[in-house]
Amino acid sequence: MTDGIFIGASVDGKPQTLELKRANRHGLIAGATGTGKTVTLQGIIEGFSANGVPCFVADVKGDLSGLAMAGSPTAKTHASFAERAKAIGDDSWAYADNPVQFWDLFGEQGHPIRTTISEMGPLLLSRLMDLNEVQEGVLTIAFHVADKEGLLLIDLDDLQAMLTECAGRADELTVTYGNVSKQSIGAIQRSLLQLRTQGAENFFGEPALEMNDFIGVDDRGRGIVNILAADKLMASPKLYATFLLWLMSELFEHLPEVGDPDKPVLCFFFDEAHLLFDEAPKALLEKIEQVVRLIRSKGVGVYFITQNPIDIPDTVAGQLGNRVQHALRAFTPRDQAAVRSAAETFRANPGVDVATIITELKVGEALVSLLQADGAPTPVERTLIKPPASRVGPITPAERKVMIETDAVGAKYDTLVDRESAEELLAAKTQEASAAAAEAKATTEAEKAAAVQAKLDAKGAKEAERARIADQREADRQQREADREAANSPWTKMASSATRAASSSIGRQVANEIGKQVFGTKSRRSSSSGGLVGTVLRGVLGGLFRG
């Protein structure tokens, strides 16, 4: 371990060293395509790792994976490395590997990196999705309600379910927390859908990344080099911005204030930085600027690697104290502006015409200006860069697989854990409410059916009674009709006449008999009286018999 990282030697043999104590003052590696930026980056990462400084690098092209394997003199790209090391007086140079951990948000070329919606928080999500003040307030209410009701927000499904719940309870929540409009919730849902289409569901979940697994050393005291597979990720700028926004915020909150340590706690390297800044969300640009300005006191160094120095916003570029500038081309007005800009950012050296030399540099050469121990930049020097000790170029899929399976992280993050959270609890609540509503509806329907049936039964009984009465009336009518027909029948009349005759005869006989019993034997007087009485009795008795 040394006090600095050997970068290379100037044309007059003067060593160029990156002071570890000033390495947290950030840096820039720039140059046109094919001028040696990746080789320079690789050598600097090797230097940090050898001095026990963990690193993080986004591998956009896939060629930085070679850091995991030692270089070889038989490789075509390595043929001149030993000669270059000898030319700059680096007698200790030798091929060597580095302790590497591979990461991939999609879980294909490394361990998955995940965090939860709760850890991301409403503020970062709002900035990332570029929500307005009203929408940010609604999102904050959703987080607050979830926290109050014990609903874990782990993944996008949880957040979307929580927003749907808030929409359904808009009137209730508006009274308590302020206006919760369905229009705002709809806007948030659309922004979440954009994140989902870029693969954000791979980033939000559990187990969440622990920062201690990102910041560590191996058993030989070498800093772990964390390589993020970013070739596929760069096609999803929203997801890349989400990850970086979270990672830098998490580091900022996780790491304590250390001022200016003897060496950095962690160094960030953003390869192809122009891809990061092109159309980046405002929130990400603000966070990067904040991190560059403030995270130095946390012991974190941030280094940008880009083709053109003017790709870096001025607010960020002004904070980059350590600079390595490879060749630039001056074919277009923009290229010429970049050359002038680069020349103006270096501390002048009377023996170096930056504006001229910057277009004449060979592959592996660079203009270098690094911060000294007292914090002042060194005068710019034309420098031959130290060759890397690890492989230049990507490793094979088989080699990557072995590295992933045998690193210190192991299978800790490889299996997604889907525990009970807001989505499941709200779904169960909705299911219970639906079941209760269905039961209430069934009860109501049954009661309605019973009432209808009772009405039908009553109506049937009434109609049956009416039919019975009608039938009875008809029977009575028919009986009377039959009686009339029977009364008018000739036979009936004959029978009546016979009855009357019989009745009259019998009446006379009875009357005579009574007369005899009352008045005794006939005489004139009695005969006269008996005749009168007999006539009366015969009339009475005859009427009785006729009746």
Side-chain angles (χ1 to χ4, degrees):
M1 186 177 297
T2 63
D3 292 333
I5 299 172
F6 179 61
I7 300 296
S10 63
V11 292
D12 57 1
K14 183 179 180 180
Q16 299 295 309
T17 303
L18 175 61
E19 296 284 341
L20 286 174
K21 191 174 181 62
R22 300 301 175 191
N24 63 334
R25 301 299 177 90
H26 317 311
L28 172 68
I29 302 172
T33 300
T35 56
K37 297 189 304 299
T38 301
V39 170
T40 300
L41 167 63
Q42 204 162 325
I44 292 176
I45 291 176
E46 290 175 355
F48 277 121
S49 177
N51 283 277
V53 179
C55 298
F56 167 85
V57 57
D59 188 9
V60 177
K61 301 186 294 292
D63 49 3
L64 290 173
S65 60
L67 282 161
M69 305 296 292
S72 170
T74 60
K76 182 178 180 181
T77 54
H78 296 194
S80 61
F81 283 179
E83 295 178 5
R84 187 192 299 186
K86 183 178 180 181
I88 61 177
D90 188 4
D91 298 331
S92 63
W93 182 87
Y95 290 111
D97 61 1
N98 301 278
V100 169
Q101 291 178 167
F102 290 103
W103 304 91
D104 184 359
L105 264 65
F106 299 99
E108 298 172 355
Q109 301 183 67
H111 302 292
I113 296 180
R114 303 185 187 94
T115 188
T116 66
I117 290 290
S118 294
E119 289 178 347
M120 193 75 173
L123 183 59
L124 286 182
L125 279 174
S126 297
R127 290 180 177 177
L128 175 68
M129 296 187 291
D130 199 23
L131 301 182
N132 61 34
E133 185 177 350
V134 174
Q135 294 161 356
E136 181 180 340
V138 171
L139 185 62
T140 302
I141 289 173
F143 271 78
H144 180 77
V145 173
D147 183 61
K148 184 177 180 181
E149 298 183 2
L151 301 172
L152 294 176
L153 298 179
I154 295 176
D155 53 26
L156 288 178
D157 291 337
D158 291 327
L159 182 54
Q160 290 185 315
M162 193 66 226
L163 289 169
T164 301
E165 173 76 1
C166 290
R169 297 166 54 186
D171 293 340
E172 169 197 343
L173 297 176
T174 296
V175 173
T176 306
Y177 302 106
N179 188 39
V180 178
S181 69
K182 293 183 179 180
Q183 291 82 356
S184 295
I185 291 178
I188 299 170
Q189 294 279 35
R190 286 191 295 273
S191 296
L192 290 177
L193 181 60
Q194 291 178 351
L195 284 176
R196 188 183 289 275
T197 57
Q198 294 199 15
E201 67 271 13
N202 296 291
F203 179 53
F204 292 109
E206 288 184 322
L209 177 69
E210 297 178 11
M211 284 296 107
N212 289 336
D213 289 328
F214 230 53
I215 305 173
V217 296
D218 68 355
D219 53 1
R220 292 165 53 186
R222 298 179 299 172
I224 300 295
V225 180
N226 298 279
I227 299 178
L228 175 69
D231 50 348
K232 181 178 178 181
L233 183 60
M234 294 308 294
S236 303
K238 278 276 188 183
L239 180 57
Y240 189 36
T242 301
F243 164 70
L244 292 180
L245 194 60
W246 165 79
L247 182 59
M248 288 186 287
S249 299
E250 194 73 9
L251 285 170
F252 197 81
E253 295 175 4
H254 179 81
L255 297 175
E257 290 282 341
V258 293
D260 285 320
D262 292 335
K263 62 181 180 180
V265 176
L266 174 70
C267 279
F268 265 95
F269 294 88
F270 293 115
D271 195 10
E272 303 294 341
H274 63 282
L275 299 177
L276 174 63
F277 290 108
D278 286 349
E279 299 181 3
K282 182 180 178 182
L284 179 59
L285 295 178
E286 291 175 351
K287 178 57 67 174
I288 291 175
E289 181 180 347
Q290 179 192 38
V291 167
V292 170
R293 288 178 179 275
L294 303 178
I295 208 168
R296 174 195 61 77
S297 62
K298 304 276 188 175
V300 176
V302 181
Y303 291 77
F304 297 97
I305 300 89
T306 188
Q307 297 179 10
N308 203 319
I310 63 176
D311 293 332
I312 308 299
D314 291 340
T315 54
V316 175
Q319 306 295 319
L320 309 181
N322 299 294
R323 292 174 175 263
V324 178
Q325 178 66 62
H326 287 271
L328 288 175
R329 310 306 177 208
F331 301 134
T332 67
R334 186 174 186 274
D335 293 337
Q336 294 166 6
V339 170
R340 290 193 299 270
S341 175
E344 293 170 357
T345 57
F346 287 108
R347 180 179 173 183
N349 184 341
V352 178
D353 182 358
V354 175
T356 301
I357 293 176
I358 202 170
T359 60
E360 300 174 348
L361 293 170
K362 300 176 183 178
V363 175
E365 286 187 326
L367 292 171
V368 177
S369 177
L370 305 170
L371 296 179
Q372 302 175 88
D374 60 1
T378 61
V380 62
E381 293 283 357
R382 184 172 183 169
T383 303
L384 183 61
I385 302 298
K386 170 190 172 182
S390 56
R391 182 185 300 178
V392 175
I395 61 176
T396 66
E399 290 171 332
R400 182 186 291 267
K401 184 174 183 293
V402 171
M403 296 297 298
I404 293 172
E405 292 176 348
T406 57
D407 64 15
V409 175
K412 181 177 180 179
Y413 300 106
D414 294 348
T415 302
L416 178 67
V417 176
D418 187 13
R419 60 174 171 149
E420 189 176 65
S421 52
E423 182 197 16
E424 290 80 9
L425 293 174
L426 291 173
K429 178 182 175 182
T430 301
Q431 188 174 2
E432 290 177 1
S434 298
E439 183 178 355
K441 182 178 179 181
T443 302
T444 302
E445 293 294 334
E447 291 175 351
K448 287 181 179 179
V452 170
Q453 188 61 44
K455 288 182 179 180
L456 291 175
D457 292 344
K459 184 178 180 181
K462 186 180 290 185
E463 290 178 352
E465 180 63 18
R466 287 176 180 173
R468 186 190 66 77
I469 294 174
D471 291 344
Q472 183 62 43
R473 288 176 178 174
E474 179 63 21
D476 292 345
R477 186 191 65 76
Q478 291 178 358
Q479 183 62 44
R480 289 193 300 272
E481 184 69 27
D483 289 346
R484 282 195 298 270
E485 290 179 357
N488 294 327
S489 172
W491 294 102
T492 302
K493 292 179 180 180
M494 291 175 63
S496 297
S497 299
T499 300
R500 285 195 299 270
S503 297
S504 299
S505 175
I506 293 172
R508 284 194 299 269
Q509 291 178 8
V510 173
N512 289 335
E513 186 63 30
I514 291 173
K516 287 178 182 182
Q517 293 297 325
V518 174
F519 299 105
T521 58
K522 282 186 176 181
S523 67
R524 268 174 212 261
R525 186 178 178 185
S526 63
S527 176
S528 174
S529 303
L532 177 61
V533 173
T535 299
V536 172
L537 290 173
R538 283 194 298 272
V540 172
L541 293 175
L544 291 173
F545 281 99
R546 284 194 298 273

